[in-house]
C-alpha cells in the first residue's frame, strides 16, 4: 500500500537568477541559469518521499530529454512512477525568474501535463489504497475533479493546493478534506486579504484549511475550532520556489504518521525553511534526517 498518492504536474523549471524581475517590455541581464526538475505535483511527491513517506505519482511527462530527467528525479527520491505516463510531445516547462530577495515569478507551459484529462485504469486502484491524495491545479481541472471524486469514494484524505489560483467548482471543494493555499491564493479565492478572514470564509466550503504565510509561518483553521498560528523558523531565503510544495509534502507525511496538526505544521515549516535556503525546486527539498535535526 502506498501512503501518499500525488496526482499532479511535472515541469522542467528553466530558472534565470537576476537582481530583479523585468517589467513588461523591459530586458534585464541575469547572472545565472539552471534547469531544475520541478512542477507542483512532482515537487510535493519528492518532498513527501524525502520526508519519509511512501509515495506514488500519477501524471505525465513528454517524450523528450526533460521527461527522462523528470522521471529519473522522482525515482531517485524513491517515488513510484508506474502510473506516470510518457506521452508524445514536450514535457511541461516552467519559466522562472528569481530575484535577489529569493522571490519568483513563473510562467508555466503545461506540455504533457495537459494530456492528463481523466483517470486511466489502475489510477483509482492506487488512489483507493492510499491514506492521502495530494492535488494541485497544474493539471486539467477534469483530472483533478476525477481524482478528488475517486478519493472521496474510497475514504482517502484529500489535500488540495489551489495553485495556480482559479475559481474552484463546488463539487471539487466538496471532496476536499484539507485546503492549503498560500496567502495570495487564499485572497484570490475569497476576495479577503486578511488570512484569518480568508480562512473563515474558506471553512464554509472545506472542513480544514492551512494558509501558508511565507516567513510569517502558517495558519490552521477548522470548522468549529479555534485558529492556530504556527511561526516559521527565521532563515535567510535565497530561493522560495517550491517552499509551499515542500510544506505540503512534509505535512502529508506527518499527518499520515498520526501527528497532531500543530506538530505536523511545525515539522512542515522546518522542511520549507530548509528548502528556501537552497536554489531550485526538487534540488532544494530536505531529507527526513535534516528536517528532524
Ligand atoms: O511551486 C513551484 C513550482 O511551480 C515550480 O517547480 C514550477 O514548476 C511551477 O510549477
Amino acid at each position: 500500500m502506498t501512503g501518499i498518492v500525488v496526482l499532479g504536474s511535472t515541469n522542467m523549471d528553466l530558472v534565470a537568477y537576476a537582481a530583479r524581475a523585468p517589467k513588461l517590455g523591459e530586458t534585464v541581464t541575469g547572472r545565472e541559469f539552471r534547469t531544475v526538475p520541478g512542477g507542483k505535483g512532482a515537487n510535493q511527491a519528492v518532498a513527501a518521499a524525502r520526508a519519509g513517506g511512501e509515495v506514488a505519482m500519477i501524471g505525465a511527462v513528454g517524450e523528450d530529454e526533460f521527461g527522462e530527467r523528470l522521471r529519473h528525479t522522482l525515482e531517485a527520491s524513491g517515488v513510484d512512477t508506474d502510473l506516470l505516463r510518457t506521452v508524445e510531445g514536450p514535457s511541461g516547462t516552467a519559466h522562472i525568474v528569481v530575484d535577489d530577495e529569493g522571490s519568483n515569478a513563473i510562467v508555466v507551459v503545461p506540455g504533457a501535463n495537459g494530456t492528463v484529462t481523466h483517470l486511466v485504469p489502475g489510477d483509482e486502484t492506487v488512489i483507493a489504497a492510499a491514506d492521502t491524495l495530494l492535488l494541485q491545479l497544474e493539471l486539467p481541472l477534469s483530472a483533478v475533479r476525477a481524482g478528488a471524486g475517486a478519493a472521496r469514494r474510497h475514504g482517502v484524505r484529500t489535500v488540495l493546493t489551489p495553485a495556480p489560483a482559479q475559481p474552484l467548482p463546488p463539487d471539487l471543494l466538496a471532496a476536499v478534506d484539507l485546503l492549503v493555499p498560500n496567502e495570495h491564493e487564499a485572497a484570490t479565492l475569497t476576495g479577503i486579504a486578511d488570512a484569518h478572514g480568508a480562512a473563515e470564509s474558506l471553512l464554509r466550503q472545506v472542513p480544514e484549511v492551512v494558509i501558508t504565510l511565507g516567513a510569517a509561518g502558517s495558519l490552521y483553521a477548522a470548522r468549529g475550532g479555534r485558529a492556530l498560528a504556527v511561526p516559521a523558523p527565521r532563515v535567510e531565503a535565497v530561493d522560495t520556489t517550491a517552499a509551499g510544495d515542500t510544506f505540503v509534502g512534509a505535512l502529508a507525511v506527518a499527518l499520515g504518521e498520526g501527528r497532531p496538526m500543530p506538530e505536523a505544521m511545525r515539522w512542515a515549516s522546518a522542511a520549507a525553511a530548509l528548502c528556501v535556503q537552497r536554489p531550485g525546486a526538487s534540488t532544494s527539498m530536505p531529507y527526513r534526517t535534516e528536517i528532524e535535526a
Side-chain angles (χ1 to χ4, degrees):
M1 170 169 150
T2 300
I4 296 171
V5 173
V6 181
L7 171 62
S9 59
T10 56
N11 295 325
M12 186 56 76
D13 291 355
L14 310 175
V15 194
Y17 293 88
R20 63 175 179 81
K23 299 189 194 103
L24 273 187
E26 186 191 23
T27 302
V28 299
T29 301
R31 91 181 99 74
E32 197 189 341
F33 171 73
R34 294 185 188 202
T35 57
V36 186
K40 293 186 195 304
N43 290 344
Q44 294 188 359
V46 168
R50 291 188 185 171
E54 202 183 321
V55 185
M57 173 91 198
I58 303 174
V61 295
E63 230 176 12
D64 54 9
E65 213 178 292
F66 286 167
E68 279 173 32
R69 214 174 130 199
L70 290 165
R71 182 183 293 280
H72 173 76
T73 300
L74 287 159
E75 288 171 354
S77 292
V79 177
D80 180 338
T81 60
D82 284 357
L83 294 173
L84 184 69
R85 355 309 180 189
T86 297
V87 299
E88 261 182 41
S91 296
T93 48
H95 305 257
I96 306 181
V97 181
V98 177
D99 70 14
D100 278 354
E101 308 294 310
S103 300
N104 61 53
I106 306 180
V107 174
V108 171
V109 181
N113 298 302
T115 68
V116 185
T117 52
H118 55 278
L119 300 183
V120 301
D123 290 349
E124 181 153 348
T125 312
V126 168
I127 292 171
D131 297 326
T132 304
L133 175 68
L134 299 184
L135 297 168
Q136 323 74 35
L137 299 176
E138 282 188 338
L139 293 184
L141 206 50
S142 54
V144 178
R145 284 165 112 160
R152 180 48 44 123
R153 279 194 289 285
H154 299 286
V156 176
R157 175 182 17 225
T158 299
V159 180
L160 172 65
T161 304
Q166 56 178 277
L168 298 174
D171 67 293
L172 172 57
L173 283 168
V176 169
D177 297 297
L178 172 63
L179 191 71
V180 191
N182 66 23
E183 56 203 312
H184 309 293
E185 291 146 5
T188 304
L189 290 174
T190 61
I192 302 169
D194 165 63
H196 279 90
E200 213 171 286
S201 165
L202 290 168
L203 287 180
R204 284 187 216 121
Q205 293 165 297
V206 293
E208 290 183 288
V209 180
V210 173
I211 301 182
T212 57
L213 305 167
S218 51
L219 178 73
Y220 170 69
R223 279 184 193 151
R226 288 188 35 206
L228 168 85
V230 171
R234 279 174 180 270
V235 295
E236 198 69 39
V238 299
D239 183 352
T240 59
T241 308
D245 301 328
T246 303
F247 182 95
V248 171
L251 186 77
V253 171
L255 293 176
E257 290 172 355
R259 302 196 200 195
M261 185 58 91
E263 188 187 327
M265 284 165 71
R266 269 194 297 278
W267 206 66
S269 288
L274 287 161
C275 161
V276 302
Q277 293 175 78
R278 305 163 185 165
S282 58
T283 41
S284 66
M285 283 155 193
Y287 286 85
R288 188 176 180 98
T289 47
E290 300 173 270
I291 306 172
E292 296 291 2

